[in-house]
PDB file of all heavy atoms in Angstrom:
ATOM      1  N   ARG J  27       0.838  -1.196   0.000  1.00  0.00           N
ATOM      2  CA  ARG J  27       0.000   0.000   0.000  1.00  0.00           C
ATOM      3  C   ARG J  27       0.877   1.252   0.000  1.00  0.00           C
ATOM      4  O   ARG J  27       2.029   1.224   0.403  1.00  0.00           O
ATOM      5  CB  ARG J  27      -0.900   0.050   1.257  1.00  0.00           C
ATOM      6  CG  ARG J  27      -1.921  -1.068   1.410  1.00  0.00           C
ATOM      7  CD  ARG J  27      -3.099  -0.876   0.467  1.00  0.00           C
ATOM      8  NE  ARG J  27      -4.211  -1.779   0.760  1.00  0.00           N
ATOM      9  CZ  ARG J  27      -4.268  -3.045   0.394  1.00  0.00           C
ATOM     10  NH1 ARG J  27      -3.245  -3.575  -0.249  1.00  0.00           N
ATOM     11  NH2 ARG J  27      -5.325  -3.781   0.667  1.00  0.00           N
ATOM     12  N   ASN J  28       0.278   2.356  -0.485  1.00  0.00           N
ATOM     13  CA  ASN J  28       0.839   3.701  -0.317  1.00  0.00           C
ATOM     14  C   ASN J  28       2.232   3.880  -0.909  1.00  0.00           C
ATOM     15  O   ASN J  28       3.092   4.519  -0.314  1.00  0.00           O
ATOM     16  CB  ASN J  28       0.838   4.084   1.166  1.00  0.00           C
ATOM     17  CG  ASN J  28      -0.563   4.093   1.755  1.00  0.00           C
ATOM     18  OD1 ASN J  28      -1.510   4.524   1.093  1.00  0.00           O
ATOM     19  ND2 ASN J  28      -0.693   3.612   2.974  1.00  0.00           N
ATOM     20  N   TYR J  29       2.433   3.364  -2.076  1.00  0.00           N
ATOM     21  CA  TYR J  29       3.687   3.538  -2.798  1.00  0.00           C
ATOM     22  C   TYR J  29       3.420   4.412  -4.024  1.00  0.00           C
ATOM     23  O   TYR J  29       2.266   4.602  -4.446  1.00  0.00           O
ATOM     24  CB  TYR J  29       4.241   2.180  -3.253  1.00  0.00           C
ATOM     25  CG  TYR J  29       3.173   1.269  -3.812  1.00  0.00           C
ATOM     26  CD1 TYR J  29       2.741   1.376  -5.133  1.00  0.00           C
ATOM     27  CD2 TYR J  29       2.560   0.312  -2.996  1.00  0.00           C
ATOM     28  CE1 TYR J  29       1.750   0.568  -5.627  1.00  0.00           C
ATOM     29  CE2 TYR J  29       1.564  -0.510  -3.493  1.00  0.00           C
ATOM     30  CZ  TYR J  29       1.161  -0.372  -4.799  1.00  0.00           C
ATOM     31  OH  TYR J  29       0.156  -1.167  -5.285  1.00  0.00           O
ATOM     32  N   VAL J  30       4.480   4.928  -4.611  1.00  0.00           N
ATOM     33  CA  VAL J  30       4.379   5.634  -5.887  1.00  0.00           C
ATOM     34  C   VAL J  30       4.620   4.604  -6.984  1.00  0.00           C
ATOM     35  O   VAL J  30       5.678   3.976  -7.030  1.00  0.00           O
ATOM     36  CB  VAL J  30       5.400   6.782  -5.983  1.00  0.00           C
ATOM     37  CG1 VAL J  30       5.330   7.449  -7.355  1.00  0.00           C
ATOM     38  CG2 VAL J  30       5.160   7.801  -4.874  1.00  0.00           C
ATOM     39  N   MET J  31       3.630   4.431  -7.835  1.00  0.00           N
ATOM     40  CA  MET J  31       3.699   3.381  -8.857  1.00  0.00           C
ATOM     41  C   MET J  31       4.086   3.959 -10.199  1.00  0.00           C
ATOM     42  O   MET J  31       3.618   5.030 -10.600  1.00  0.00           O
ATOM     43  CB  MET J  31       2.355   2.668  -8.970  1.00  0.00           C
ATOM     44  CG  MET J  31       2.348   1.589 -10.041  1.00  0.00           C
ATOM     45  SD  MET J  31       0.811   0.656 -10.023  1.00  0.00           S
ATOM     46  CE  MET J  31       0.984  -0.258 -11.550  1.00  0.00           C
ATOM     47  N   VAL J  32       4.924   3.239 -10.921  1.00  0.00           N
ATOM     48  CA  VAL J  32       5.333   3.616 -12.273  1.00  0.00           C
ATOM     49  C   VAL J  32       4.910   2.501 -13.230  1.00  0.00           C
ATOM     50  O   VAL J  32       5.323   1.355 -13.064  1.00  0.00           O
ATOM     51  CB  VAL J  32       6.856   3.822 -12.369  1.00  0.00           C
ATOM     52  CG1 VAL J  32       7.239   4.295 -13.771  1.00  0.00           C
ATOM     53  CG2 VAL J  32       7.338   4.805 -11.317  1.00  0.00           C
ATOM     54  N   ALA J  33       4.068   2.840 -14.205  1.00  0.00           N
ATOM     55  CA  ALA J  33       3.660   1.881 -15.237  1.00  0.00           C
ATOM     56  C   ALA J  33       4.377   2.248 -16.532  1.00  0.00           C
ATOM     57  O   ALA J  33       4.150   3.314 -17.097  1.00  0.00           O
ATOM     58  CB  ALA J  33       2.147   1.918 -15.434  1.00  0.00           C
ATOM     59  N   THR J  34       5.253   1.380 -16.988  1.00  0.00           N
ATOM     60  CA  THR J  34       6.083   1.689 -18.154  1.00  0.00           C
ATOM     61  C   THR J  34       5.353   1.352 -19.454  1.00  0.00           C
ATOM     62  O   THR J  34       4.285   0.731 -19.457  1.00  0.00           O
ATOM     63  CB  THR J  34       7.411   0.928 -18.101  1.00  0.00           C
ATOM     64  OG1 THR J  34       7.149  -0.476 -18.090  1.00  0.00           O
ATOM     65  CG2 THR J  34       8.204   1.316 -16.862  1.00  0.00           C
ATOM     66  N   THR J  35       5.946   1.743 -20.577  1.00  0.00           N
ATOM     67  CA  THR J  35       5.376   1.523 -21.905  1.00  0.00           C
ATOM     68  C   THR J  35       6.436   0.860 -22.785  1.00  0.00           C
ATOM     69  O   THR J  35       7.635   1.087 -22.602  1.00  0.00           O
ATOM     70  CB  THR J  35       4.920   2.860 -22.518  1.00  0.00           C
ATOM     71  OG1 THR J  35       3.989   3.489 -21.633  1.00  0.00           O
ATOM     72  CG2 THR J  35       4.240   2.647 -23.863  1.00  0.00           C
ATOM     73  N   ASP J  36       5.979   0.085 -23.747  1.00  0.00           N
ATOM     74  CA  ASP J  36       6.902  -0.650 -24.625  1.00  0.00           C
ATOM     75  C   ASP J  36       7.318   0.191 -25.837  1.00  0.00           C
ATOM     76  O   ASP J  36       7.309  -0.293 -26.966  1.00  0.00           O
ATOM     77  CB  ASP J  36       6.271  -1.964 -25.076  1.00  0.00           C
ATOM     78  CG  ASP J  36       4.976  -1.753 -25.863  1.00  0.00           C
ATOM     79  OD1 ASP J  36       4.385  -0.667 -25.768  1.00  0.00           O
ATOM     80  OD2 ASP J  36       4.554  -2.687 -26.569  1.00  0.00           O
ATOM     81  N   MET J  37       7.726   1.415 -25.606  1.00  0.00           N
ATOM     82  CA  MET J  37       8.079   2.287 -26.728  1.00  0.00           C
ATOM     83  C   MET J  37       9.247   1.744 -27.537  1.00  0.00           C
ATOM     84  O   MET J  37       9.219   1.738 -28.770  1.00  0.00           O
ATOM     85  CB  MET J  37       8.400   3.693 -26.212  1.00  0.00           C
ATOM     86  CG  MET J  37       7.174   4.469 -25.769  1.00  0.00           C
ATOM     87  SD  MET J  37       7.564   6.167 -25.313  1.00  0.00           S
ATOM     88  CE  MET J  37       8.259   5.919 -23.692  1.00  0.00           C
ATOM     89  N   ARG J  38      10.282   1.297 -26.857  1.00  0.00           N
ATOM     90  CA  ARG J  38      11.460   0.823 -27.583  1.00  0.00           C
ATOM     91  C   ARG J  38      11.163  -0.456 -28.354  1.00  0.00           C
ATOM     92  O   ARG J  38      11.688  -0.663 -29.453  1.00  0.00           O
ATOM     93  CB  ARG J  38      12.624   0.611 -26.608  1.00  0.00           C
ATOM     94  CG  ARG J  38      13.117   1.924 -26.012  1.00  0.00           C
ATOM     95  CD  ARG J  38      14.188   1.684 -24.967  1.00  0.00           C
ATOM     96  NE  ARG J  38      13.665   1.055 -23.765  1.00  0.00           N
ATOM     97  CZ  ARG J  38      14.388   0.830 -22.666  1.00  0.00           C
ATOM     98  NH1 ARG J  38      15.666   1.168 -22.641  1.00  0.00           N
ATOM     99  NH2 ARG J  38      13.839   0.265 -21.608  1.00  0.00           N
ATOM    100  N   GLU J  39      10.322  -1.296 -27.782  1.00  0.00           N
ATOM    101  CA  GLU J  39       9.979  -2.551 -28.445  1.00  0.00           C
ATOM    102  C   GLU J  39       9.101  -2.314 -29.672  1.00  0.00           C
ATOM    103  O   GLU J  39       8.989  -3.195 -30.532  1.00  0.00           O
ATOM    104  CB  GLU J  39       9.261  -3.484 -27.462  1.00  0.00           C
ATOM    105  CG  GLU J  39      10.169  -4.109 -26.417  1.00  0.00           C
ATOM    106  CD  GLU J  39      10.584  -3.153 -25.302  1.00  0.00           C
ATOM    107  OE1 GLU J  39       9.974  -2.054 -25.187  1.00  0.00           O
ATOM    108  OE2 GLU J  39      11.515  -3.487 -24.548  1.00  0.00           O
ATOM    109  N   THR J  40       8.460  -1.156 -29.738  1.00  0.00           N
ATOM    110  CA  THR J  40       7.633  -0.816 -30.906  1.00  0.00           C
ATOM    111  C   THR J  40       8.292   0.293 -31.721  1.00  0.00           C
ATOM    112  O   THR J  40       7.621   1.096 -32.366  1.00  0.00           O
ATOM    113  CB  THR J  40       6.219  -0.406 -30.473  1.00  0.00           C
ATOM    114  OG1 THR J  40       6.286   0.602 -29.449  1.00  0.00           O
ATOM    115  CG2 THR J  40       5.455  -1.604 -29.924  1.00  0.00           C
ATOM    116  N   TYR J  41       9.625   0.351 -31.625  1.00  0.00           N
ATOM    117  CA  TYR J  41      10.461   1.187 -32.497  1.00  0.00           C
ATOM    118  C   TYR J  41      10.233   2.692 -32.321  1.00  0.00           C
ATOM    119  O   TYR J  41      10.335   3.463 -33.264  1.00  0.00           O
ATOM    120  CB  TYR J  41      10.255   0.787 -33.973  1.00  0.00           C
ATOM    121  CG  TYR J  41      10.392  -0.684 -34.202  1.00  0.00           C
ATOM    122  CD1 TYR J  41       9.269  -1.474 -34.458  1.00  0.00           C
ATOM    123  CD2 TYR J  41      11.637  -1.315 -34.118  1.00  0.00           C
ATOM    124  CE1 TYR J  41       9.383  -2.854 -34.645  1.00  0.00           C
ATOM    125  CE2 TYR J  41      11.759  -2.692 -34.299  1.00  0.00           C
ATOM    126  CZ  TYR J  41      10.630  -3.444 -34.552  1.00  0.00           C
ATOM    127  OH  TYR J  41      10.737  -4.798 -34.732  1.00  0.00           O
ATOM    128  N   ARG J  42       9.946   3.094 -31.081  1.00  0.00           N
ATOM    129  CA  ARG J  42       9.847   4.519 -30.764  1.00  0.00           C
ATOM    130  C   ARG J  42      10.983   4.889 -29.810  1.00  0.00           C
ATOM    131  O   ARG J  42      11.428   4.065 -29.022  1.00  0.00           O
ATOM    132  CB  ARG J  42       8.484   4.835 -30.128  1.00  0.00           C
ATOM    133  CG  ARG J  42       7.318   4.705 -31.079  1.00  0.00           C
ATOM    134  CD  ARG J  42       5.996   4.884 -30.368  1.00  0.00           C
ATOM    135  NE  ARG J  42       5.670   3.737 -29.516  1.00  0.00           N
ATOM    136  CZ  ARG J  42       4.659   3.702 -28.663  1.00  0.00           C
ATOM    137  NH1 ARG J  42       3.869   4.760 -28.529  1.00  0.00           N
ATOM    138  NH2 ARG J  42       4.424   2.629 -27.942  1.00  0.00           N
ATOM    139  N   PHE J  43      11.392   6.148 -29.864  1.00  0.00           N
ATOM    140  CA  PHE J  43      12.497   6.580 -29.017  1.00  0.00           C
ATOM    141  C   PHE J  43      12.043   6.760 -27.575  1.00  0.00           C
ATOM    142  O   PHE J  43      10.966   7.274 -27.305  1.00  0.00           O
ATOM    143  CB  PHE J  43      13.074   7.904 -29.527  1.00  0.00           C
ATOM    144  CG  PHE J  43      14.093   8.494 -28.585  1.00  0.00           C
ATOM    145  CD1 PHE J  43      15.379   7.979 -28.525  1.00  0.00           C
ATOM    146  CD2 PHE J  43      13.749   9.544 -27.734  1.00  0.00           C
ATOM    147  CE1 PHE J  43      16.307   8.510 -27.648  1.00  0.00           C
ATOM    148  CE2 PHE J  43      14.680  10.074 -26.856  1.00  0.00           C
ATOM    149  CZ  PHE J  43      15.960   9.556 -26.821  1.00  0.00           C
ATOM    150  N   GLU J  44      12.922   6.331 -26.657  1.00  0.00           N
ATOM    151  CA  GLU J  44      12.685   6.588 -25.234  1.00  0.00           C
ATOM    152  C   GLU J  44      14.017   6.726 -24.519  1.00  0.00           C
ATOM    153  O   GLU J  44      14.930   5.919 -24.727  1.00  0.00           O
ATOM    154  CB  GLU J  44      11.889   5.455 -24.585  1.00  0.00           C
ATOM    155  CG  GLU J  44      11.661   5.723 -23.091  1.00  0.00           C
ATOM    156  CD  GLU J  44      11.160   4.511 -22.325  1.00  0.00           C
ATOM    157  OE1 GLU J  44      10.931   3.459 -22.949  1.00  0.00           O
ATOM    158  OE2 GLU J  44      11.016   4.622 -21.098  1.00  0.00           O
ATOM    159  N   ASN J  45      14.109   7.717 -23.663  1.00  0.00           N
ATOM    160  CA  ASN J  45      15.256   7.869 -22.772  1.00  0.00           C
ATOM    161  C   ASN J  45      14.845   7.277 -21.424  1.00  0.00           C
ATOM    162  O   ASN J  45      14.381   7.989 -20.544  1.00  0.00           O
ATOM    163  CB  ASN J  45      15.640   9.344 -22.636  1.00  0.00           C
ATOM    164  CG  ASN J  45      16.925   9.543 -21.839  1.00  0.00           C
ATOM    165  OD1 ASN J  45      17.320   8.681 -21.047  1.00  0.00           O
ATOM    166  ND2 ASN J  45      17.580  10.665 -22.043  1.00  0.00           N
ATOM    167  N   ARG J  46      14.980   5.960 -21.279  1.00  0.00           N
ATOM    168  CA  ARG J  46      14.512   5.286 -20.065  1.00  0.00           C
ATOM    169  C   ARG J  46      15.261   5.751 -18.820  1.00  0.00           C
ATOM    170  O   ARG J  46      14.624   5.959 -17.762  1.00  0.00           O
ATOM    171  CB  ARG J  46      14.594   3.768 -20.236  1.00  0.00           C
ATOM    172  CG  ARG J  46      14.123   2.937 -19.037  1.00  0.00           C
ATOM    173  CD  ARG J  46      12.692   3.217 -18.603  1.00  0.00           C
ATOM    174  NE  ARG J  46      11.708   2.816 -19.552  1.00  0.00           N
ATOM    175  CZ  ARG J  46      11.152   1.604 -19.640  1.00  0.00           C
ATOM    176  NH1 ARG J  46      11.533   0.636 -18.812  1.00  0.00           N
ATOM    177  NH2 ARG J  46      10.215   1.360 -20.538  1.00  0.00           N
ATOM    178  N   PRO J  47      16.601   5.933 -18.845  1.00  0.00           N
ATOM    179  CA  PRO J  47      17.277   6.439 -17.638  1.00  0.00           C
ATOM    180  C   PRO J  47      16.701   7.765 -17.155  1.00  0.00           C
ATOM    181  O   PRO J  47      16.500   7.959 -15.948  1.00  0.00           O
ATOM    182  CB  PRO J  47      18.734   6.574 -18.078  1.00  0.00           C
ATOM    183  CG  PRO J  47      18.888   5.537 -19.138  1.00  0.00           C
ATOM    184  CD  PRO J  47      17.597   5.553 -19.883  1.00  0.00           C
ATOM    185  N   ALA J  48      16.409   8.669 -18.080  1.00  0.00           N
ATOM    186  CA  ALA J  48      15.838   9.967 -17.695  1.00  0.00           C
ATOM    187  C   ALA J  48      14.455   9.795 -17.090  1.00  0.00           C
ATOM    188  O   ALA J  48      14.094  10.484 -16.118  1.00  0.00           O
ATOM    189  CB  ALA J  48      15.784  10.893 -18.903  1.00  0.00           C
ATOM    190  N   PHE J  49      13.659   8.870 -17.639  1.00  0.00           N
ATOM    191  CA  PHE J  49      12.325   8.636 -17.099  1.00  0.00           C
ATOM    192  C   PHE J  49      12.399   8.066 -15.681  1.00  0.00           C
ATOM    193  O   PHE J  49      11.635   8.459 -14.794  1.00  0.00           O
ATOM    194  CB  PHE J  49      11.554   7.679 -18.010  1.00  0.00           C
ATOM    195  CG  PHE J  49      10.207   7.283 -17.471  1.00  0.00           C
ATOM    196  CD1 PHE J  49       9.194   8.214 -17.338  1.00  0.00           C
ATOM    197  CD2 PHE J  49       9.959   5.969 -17.086  1.00  0.00           C
ATOM    198  CE1 PHE J  49       7.947   7.853 -16.830  1.00  0.00           C
ATOM    199  CE2 PHE J  49       8.724   5.595 -16.586  1.00  0.00           C
ATOM    200  CZ  PHE J  49       7.715   6.539 -16.453  1.00  0.00           C
ATOM    201  N   ILE J  50      13.317   7.146 -15.459  1.00  0.00           N
ATOM    202  CA  ILE J  50      13.466   6.559 -14.124  1.00  0.00           C
ATOM    203  C   ILE J  50      13.866   7.633 -13.105  1.00  0.00           C
ATOM    204  O   ILE J  50      13.320   7.702 -11.998  1.00  0.00           O
ATOM    205  CB  ILE J  50      14.505   5.424 -14.153  1.00  0.00           C
ATOM    206  CG1 ILE J  50      14.007   4.276 -15.034  1.00  0.00           C
ATOM    207  CG2 ILE J  50      14.803   4.918 -12.736  1.00  0.00           C
ATOM    208  CD1 ILE J  50      15.054   3.214 -15.309  1.00  0.00           C
ATOM    209  N   LYS J  51      14.792   8.483 -13.502  1.00  0.00           N
ATOM    210  CA  LYS J  51      15.222   9.564 -12.604  1.00  0.00           C
ATOM    211  C   LYS J  51      14.076  10.537 -12.339  1.00  0.00           C
ATOM    212  O   LYS J  51      13.927  11.049 -11.218  1.00  0.00           O
ATOM    213  CB  LYS J  51      16.410  10.299 -13.220  1.00  0.00           C
ATOM    214  CG  LYS J  51      17.683   9.458 -13.298  1.00  0.00           C
ATOM    215  CD  LYS J  51      18.789  10.206 -14.032  1.00  0.00           C
ATOM    216  CE  LYS J  51      20.040   9.363 -14.178  1.00  0.00           C
ATOM    217  NZ  LYS J  51      21.111  10.059 -14.952  1.00  0.00           N
ATOM    218  N   HIS J  52      13.258  10.795 -13.356  1.00  0.00           N
ATOM    219  CA  HIS J  52      12.094  11.673 -13.197  1.00  0.00           C
ATOM    220  C   HIS J  52      11.108  11.063 -12.202  1.00  0.00           C
ATOM    221  O   HIS J  52      10.568  11.767 -11.328  1.00  0.00           O
ATOM    222  CB  HIS J  52      11.426  11.872 -14.556  1.00  0.00           C
ATOM    223  CG  HIS J  52      10.163  12.674 -14.519  1.00  0.00           C
ATOM    224  ND1 HIS J  52      10.133  13.998 -14.136  1.00  0.00           N
ATOM    225  CD2 HIS J  52       8.884  12.324 -14.821  1.00  0.00           C
ATOM    226  CE1 HIS J  52       8.890  14.445 -14.202  1.00  0.00           C
ATOM    227  NE2 HIS J  52       8.112  13.447 -14.610  1.00  0.00           N
ATOM    228  N   ALA J  53      10.887   9.758 -12.304  1.00  0.00           N
ATOM    229  CA  ALA J  53       9.981   9.077 -11.374  1.00  0.00           C
ATOM    230  C   ALA J  53      10.511   9.147  -9.951  1.00  0.00           C
ATOM    231  O   ALA J  53       9.756   9.367  -8.991  1.00  0.00           O
ATOM    232  CB  ALA J  53       9.789   7.628 -11.810  1.00  0.00           C
ATOM    233  N   ALA J  54      11.818   8.969  -9.799  1.00  0.00           N
ATOM    234  CA  ALA J  54      12.421   9.036  -8.464  1.00  0.00           C
ATOM    235  C   ALA J  54      12.259  10.429  -7.867  1.00  0.00           C
ATOM    236  O   ALA J  54      12.031  10.582  -6.656  1.00  0.00           O
ATOM    237  CB  ALA J  54      13.898   8.664  -8.543  1.00  0.00           C
ATOM    238  N   LYS J  55      12.348  11.438  -8.705  1.00  0.00           N
ATOM    239  CA  LYS J  55      12.179  12.817  -8.226  1.00  0.00           C
ATOM    240  C   LYS J  55      10.749  13.044  -7.746  1.00  0.00           C
ATOM    241  O   LYS J  55      10.518  13.678  -6.707  1.00  0.00           O
ATOM    242  CB  LYS J  55      12.527  13.795  -9.338  1.00  0.00           C
ATOM    243  CG  LYS J  55      12.473  15.260  -8.920  1.00  0.00           C
ATOM    244  CD  LYS J  55      12.913  16.176 -10.055  1.00  0.00           C
ATOM    245  CE  LYS J  55      12.850  17.645  -9.626  1.00  0.00           C
ATOM    246  NZ  LYS J  55      13.267  18.551 -10.737  1.00  0.00           N
ATOM    247  N   ILE J  56       9.781  12.518  -8.471  1.00  0.00           N
ATOM    248  CA  ILE J  56       8.384  12.644  -8.054  1.00  0.00           C
ATOM    249  C   ILE J  56       8.156  11.910  -6.740  1.00  0.00           C
ATOM    250  O   ILE J  56       7.466  12.403  -5.839  1.00  0.00           O
ATOM    251  CB  ILE J  56       7.447  12.090  -9.151  1.00  0.00           C
ATOM    252  CG1 ILE J  56       7.495  12.991 -10.391  1.00  0.00           C
ATOM    253  CG2 ILE J  56       6.008  11.980  -8.631  1.00  0.00           C
ATOM    254  CD1 ILE J  56       6.748  12.417 -11.581  1.00  0.00           C
ATOM    255  N   ALA J  57       8.732  10.718  -6.623  1.00  0.00           N
ATOM    256  CA  ALA J  57       8.541   9.923  -5.397  1.00  0.00           C
ATOM    257  C   ALA J  57       9.128  10.630  -4.181  1.00  0.00           C
ATOM    258  O   ALA J  57       8.588  10.521  -3.072  1.00  0.00           O
ATOM    259  CB  ALA J  57       9.173   8.548  -5.568  1.00  0.00           C
TER     260      ALA J  57
END
């Protein structure tokens, strides 16, 4: 209970660009 949840997307697997390290750091900042 009571955690900050991150639901990821398969952008790279469907040939779209994603900066995953930046997204993870952004999530950590929100948390």
Side-chain angles (χ1 to χ4, degrees):
R27 297 285 191 280
N28 300 321
Y29 43 83
V30 177
M31 178 174 169
V32 183
T34 60
T35 303
D36 60 341
M37 287 185 282
R38 293 175 291 185
E39 286 76 13
T40 51
Y41 310 107
R42 291 174 288 171
F43 172 77
E44 179 193 357
N45 186 338
R46 180 57 67 87
F49 175 66
I50 295 170
K51 292 175 183 177
H52 176 64
K55 184 177 180 181
I56 292 172

